[in-house]
């Protein structure tokens, strides 16, 4: 994996958050499976990437996360 999964943008979102917000299930899969992104990380408001996916209506991302548990 060549992604820095711990990198944060100016509002402290990681690549996993950004992929989830945009419904990019393939990227979410890559970041979690290949890069071992920490899926339970909370942002400064206590939200996880699952919360973002759910709030933005990206059901496939939410289902993927539920399937990991």
């Amino acid at each position: 994996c060549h992604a820095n999964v711990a990198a944060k943008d100016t509002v402290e979102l990681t690549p996993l958050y950004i992929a989830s917000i945009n419904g990019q299930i393939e990227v979410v899969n890559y970041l979690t499976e290949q890069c071992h992104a920490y899926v339970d990380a909370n942002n400064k408001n206590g939200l996880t990437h699952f919360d973002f996916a759910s709030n933005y209506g990206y059901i496939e991302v939410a289902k993927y996360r539920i399937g990991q548990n």
Side-chain angles (χ1 to χ4, degrees), residues 25-54:
I25 187 67
E26 297 86 9
V27 177
V28 170
N29 181 39
Y30 175 75
L31 292 172
T32 56
E33 299 295 325
Q34 301 298 317
C35 301
H36 308 289
Y38 181 55
V39 296
D40 292 322
N42 295 329
N43 71 359
K44 64 183 179 181
N45 296 321
L47 300 173
T48 67
H49 85 96
F50 173 78
D51 297 318
F52 277 98
S54 299

Side-chain angles (χ1 to χ4, degrees), residues 2-25:
H2 298 286
N4 180 355
V5 294
K8 294 184 179 182
D9 68 5
T10 57
V11 292
E12 300 186 16
L13 298 181
T14 65
L16 184 58
Y17 281 91
I18 294 168
S20 297
I21 288 169
N22 291 296
Q24 298 175 330
I25 187 67

